[in-house]
Amino acid sequence: GSLTQWIRTVTQNPNYVLRDDQVPVEIRSYEKPNACMAWHRDDVLFDPPQLEIVWTLENSSDCRTLWKDDHDETTVHAVETDPNAALLIP
């Protein structure tokens, strides 16, 4: 599907196969003002390591998604995601 094609393009891996048994889905809903997730490092679940995709279904606030790169933990990246937007975290 189009998600697999997008992942193949972004990862530059034309052989990437997205299987439903490899996709742990986690749903988060932040309904209270100032609600957020604490800074954390994602666990590596697969070999090769999984991709982290933040898919925003609805966003009627000024919230932003923040992340740091593994190779540069001093720079904080931030983006305010639009509804139905996908963000691939490297």
Side-chain angles (χ1 to χ4, degrees):
S2 59
L3 180 57
T4 299
Q5 286 300 110
W6 180 65
I7 293 171
R8 286 177 178 167
T9 300
V10 171
T11 62
Q12 298 178 353
N13 179 353
N15 300 315
Y16 185 87
V17 176
L18 182 65
R19 297 189 342 233
D20 59 357
D21 64 334
Q22 292 180 317
V23 183
V25 175
E26 194 175 308
I27 297 176
R28 297 196 180 266
S29 177
Y30 301 104
E31 297 180 13
K32 295 180 181 179
N34 300 317
C36 65
M37 180 187 302
W39 277 107
H40 68 281
R41 182 178 298 273
D42 291 331
D43 293 328
V44 176
L45 304 174
F46 302 103
D47 184 20
Q50 74 273 7
L51 300 170
E52 178 84 10
I53 298 174
V54 177
W55 181 15
T56 302
L57 301 178
E58 179 181 303
N59 186 2
S60 58
S61 71
D62 62 352
C63 69
R64 297 178 302 148
T65 300
L66 308 172
W67 72 95
K68 297 177 185 177
D69 294 329
D70 282 340
H71 63 277
D72 176 11
E73 295 213 9
T74 59
T75 302
V76 176
H77 303 276
V79 66
E80 184 174 331
T81 53
D82 295 323
N84 204 32
L87 174 65
L88 176 66
I89 307 291

